[in-house]
Amino acid sequence: MTLLVSVLPLLFTLTAAYKDPHYVNGHDTMVHLFEWKFKDIADECERFLGPMGYGGIQVSPIQENVIIASRPWFERYQPISYIWKTRSGNEQEFKDMVRRCNKANVRIYVDVVFNHMTGTHKNAIGTGGSKADTDNLDYPAVPYTAKDFHSRCEITDYSNTSNVRNCELLGLHDLDQSKENVREKIVEFLNAAVDAGVAGFRVDAAKHMWPEDLKVIYSRIKNLNTKHGFKPNSRPYIYQEVIDNGGEAIKKSEYEFASVTEFLYGRELGNALFGNNDLKWFNSWGEAWGLMPSNDALVFIDNHDTQRSSGTLTYKHSKLYKMGVAFMLAHPYGTPRVMSSYFFNDFNDSPPADSNGNLLSPTINNDDTCGNGWVCEHRWRQIYNMARFRVAVNGTMLNNWWDNGSNQIAFCRGNRGFIAINNNSWDLKKTFDSCLPPGKYCDVISGNLKNGRCTGKMVEVTSDKKLHIELLTNEQDGVIAIHVNARENS
């Protein structure tokens, strides 16, 4: 019995390792600032993300990549070395950004690519000036040679585990992570980022690497740097890209030793908001739907890959998209990540850049939205205020679920927050028993609390704890959300 008691804390620690994003108290929700420059990210931490209570940022890959003439976004996922120099900036700019963001109470997570190197451009010149003779599997700036890669073969059969993990994804040269030299180079790269103050990593193409190899690599990463405000012995937050839509040999459950990107989340929620399923069924949202355990899941409505695929809910479906993000940030399941995009028409479109391929900085409009080709969903009032809603309701459970048997739903988060969503073609007008204390609350979707007053809708909880809401189909938004941190002064 004594042995069992002593072992249980160790098992819990091993299970929980790599699954804490290490947000600063009073902060929550990750933002993917896709293709932003490091200096612009630092500025955004200080002027907006920190003050608004966002918890962290996923940044695009920091390692030197091949340059493709049209400068598509995916060139960032074709590394030729582990030198920190990309379109987003150099090593010094990256380190300065991490320092400034940590000081603003916003954590940084790096999108890291070590499943493969590039594979389509002989003697390609990278942003740091290195060359890679990729026909000969020679990457001198790492260095890697042919012995560090799996034998040349294409991925052709997703029912064959070895084919998926040992062959080349889209022709990209597949590193062999079982080789000690490869492990050493990867760990050296990751540890340098930890030294710089990052809080963790998104591991690109984790599905295409053997879980046992990843376990070894993760075990060799340093604890987070206490000089940047992390608690002693903190392990990095690691979330792995594993696309598991069912019907294939590789399962997301194989990677639960760290967190995993839950692709079913956005697919199912988008499918419902597009009208192909009823929102009433989301009263059991979570593991009952085949999703991973909540603590294991990094969740999102769309990401930089899926938003370029048909049938995905994105910024291009503005009203529905804001409804989806609002649900995600109000619901307790998973660790949510908000996408922050640039405008695009074609799959390969480059991020906003000048004629020389240099990234453009976003401009900030008077209403806090972005310009210069950037969408900046994280700056939409309906989204940043839901990030603040999530902070307000942290530590509470979902309760008081209501639905109309169709596509109107509402629920509480403890006695701290309430949200209602209308995806029907008719109005929602209803009086609810309130889970919030009596008072006048600002609907944070339609406005803000400013100088003690609501700039949008006001929802009153009466002394007998009733609240009446109206969500009309002709309104800009299909959501109402109130919480205890946004109350009018009495």
Side-chain angles (χ1 to χ4, degrees):
M1 185 65 172
T2 304
L3 177 61
L4 176 61
V5 171
S6 64
V7 168
L8 284 175
L10 175 61
L11 291 176
F12 176 79
T13 301
L14 292 174
T15 303
Y18 315 117
K19 297 179 183 180
D20 179 356
H22 306 288
Y23 294 144
V24 176
N25 287 340
H27 294 256
D28 204 303
T29 305
M30 186 188 304
V31 180
H32 183 189
L33 293 183
F34 183 47
E35 290 279 11
W36 280 46
K37 291 187 289 187
F38 298 145
K39 184 183 183 304
D40 293 336
I41 293 172
D43 291 342
E44 190 72 348
C45 282
E46 295 168 346
R47 72 191 170 199
F48 190 81
L49 294 171
M52 285 298 171
Y54 278 108
I57 303 166
Q58 178 182 313
V59 302
S60 292
I62 65 175
Q63 62 212 88
E64 181 186 22
N65 57 266
V66 68
I67 294 177
I68 302 171
S70 60
R71 306 310 303 269
W73 61 271
F74 59 77
E75 71 174 29
R76 295 286 289 267
Y77 293 86
Q78 297 194 23
I80 65 172
S81 81
Y82 297 134
I83 296 170
W84 298 3
K85 186 171 178 61
T86 69
R87 300 175 86 181
S88 293
N90 59 31
E91 179 177 346
Q92 187 53 49
E93 289 167 327
F94 175 77
K95 290 180 175 179
D96 185 62
M97 177 267 292
V98 176
R99 177 188 60 79
R100 289 170 60 187
C101 287
N102 277 327
K103 191 173 181 181
N105 294 324
V106 182
R107 300 308 195 191
I108 299 296
Y109 313 93
V110 179
D111 197 349
V112 290
V113 186
F114 55 78
N115 168 67
H116 55 262
M117 305 300 281
T118 191
T120 55
H121 303 273
K122 184 177 180 180
N123 292 326
I125 298 178
T127 51
S130 301
K131 290 190 176 183
D133 185 356
T134 56
D135 277 1
N136 294 322
L137 300 177
D138 183 21
Y139 294 86
V142 179
Y144 285 141
T145 61
K147 63 181 175 57
D148 296 310
F149 293 84
H150 287 120
S151 300
R152 303 296 298 275
C153 54
E154 296 181 14
I155 296 178
T156 57
D157 183 4
Y158 276 84
S159 67
N160 183 322
T161 302
S162 295
N163 180 252
V164 174
R165 289 178 174 151
N166 291 344
C167 292
E168 295 183 342
L169 173 66
L170 302 173
L172 299 165
H173 298 152
D174 199 66
L175 282 165
D176 184 350
Q177 289 80 21
S178 70
K179 299 288 182 67
E180 189 58 30
N181 180 62
V182 174
R183 291 175 175 176
E184 288 177 357
K185 298 301 182 185
I186 292 169
V187 171
E188 181 182 357
F189 167 56
L190 299 177
N191 276 338
V194 169
D195 287 342
V198 306
F201 305 97
R202 173 196 181 264
V203 178
D204 182 69
K207 173 181 181 175
H208 298 278
M209 293 179 276
W210 293 93
E212 294 305 316
D213 293 335
L214 291 176
K215 287 180 185 178
V216 173
I217 290 168
Y218 300 165
S219 72
R220 297 180 183 179
I221 303 174
K222 295 179 178 179
N223 291 335
L224 297 181
N225 191 339
T226 56
K227 294 180 180 178
H228 287 266
F230 298 105
K231 296 177 181 178
N233 302 315
S234 295
R235 301 299 291 150
Y237 179 52
I238 297 175
Y239 52 107
Q240 306 159 103
E241 185 197 21
V242 180
I243 304 174
D244 177 7
N245 292 321
E248 296 181 5
I250 294 173
K251 306 300 180 186
K252 57 195 174 187
S253 58
E254 298 177 64
Y255 294 84
E256 287 181 4
F257 48 88
S259 295
V260 179
T261 51
E262 180 51 275
F263 279 80
L264 280 179
Y265 191 101
R267 191 182 78 177
E268 292 291 355
L269 188 53
N271 187 50
L273 289 168
F274 280 135
N276 300 318
N277 200 359
D278 286 340
L279 290 179
K280 68 175 183 179
W281 300 117
F282 284 75
N283 66 338
S284 62
W285 186 232
E287 292 180 58
W289 285 63
L291 303 185
M292 305 183 69
S294 178
N295 193 50
D296 296 342
L298 186 285
V299 300
F300 48 94
I301 304 301
D302 61 331
N303 75 356
H304 64 283
D305 279 316
T306 64
Q307 69 175 190
R308 288 163 170 77
S309 303
S310 62
T312 301
L313 185 59
T314 74
Y315 74 85
K316 298 186 180 186
H317 317 93
S318 177
K319 182 175 181 177
L320 293 178
Y321 188 74
K322 288 178 283 189
M323 292 163 68
V325 175
F327 179 89
M328 176 178 74
L329 297 182
H331 199 281
Y333 176 87
T335 298
R337 181 185 62 200
V338 169
M339 184 67 199
S340 191
S341 317
Y342 58 83
F343 290 100
F344 68 91
N345 293 312
D346 297 320
F347 182 91
N348 295 340
D349 279 353
S350 170
D354 64 22
S355 58
N356 294 318
N358 300 308
L359 293 178
L360 297 176
S361 298
T363 54
I364 308 301
N365 301 320
N366 291 334
D367 63 355
D368 286 331
T369 60
C370 284
N372 223 18
W374 300 91
V375 181
C376 296
E377 296 96 319
H378 72 282
R379 278 180 166 266
W380 294 0
R381 181 189 64 247
Q382 298 88 341
I383 291 179
Y384 70 70
N385 270 343
M386 284 307 300
R388 299 166 93 178
F389 177 103
R390 191 171 186 87
V391 170
V393 303
N394 266 344
T396 66
M397 300 296 288
L398 187 152
N399 52 288
N400 292 41
W401 174 276
W402 170 87
D403 64 69
N404 70 337
S406 180
N407 281 300
Q408 296 175 351
I409 63 171
F411 59 85
C412 295
R413 290 292 305 275
N415 62 353
R416 301 187 61 80
F418 169 86
I419 186 170
I421 299 175
N422 181 14
N423 198 38
N424 276 135
S425 58
W426 58 88
D427 297 340
L428 167 57
K429 298 180 180 180
K430 182 174 173 59
T431 299
F432 291 88
D433 292 326
S434 175
C435 46
L436 275 66
K440 295 179 178 180
Y441 295 84
C442 300
D443 167 35
V444 298
I445 301 297
S446 61
N448 291 302
L449 174 65
K450 189 173 182 180
N451 299 323
R453 291 290 179 264
C454 302
T455 64
K457 294 180 182 179
M458 187 273 290
V459 178
E460 183 173 8
V461 176
T462 60
S463 57
D464 58 350
K465 298 200 70 175
K466 303 288 186 182
L467 67 86
H468 181 77
I469 66 162
E470 295 189 358
L471 271 173
L472 311 182
T473 57
N474 62 0
E475 292 184 273
Q476 180 185 26
D477 295 306
V479 184
I480 281 180
I482 59 176
H483 61 81
V484 293
N485 291 348
R487 298 174 64 174
E488 280 196 343
N489 295 337
S490 56

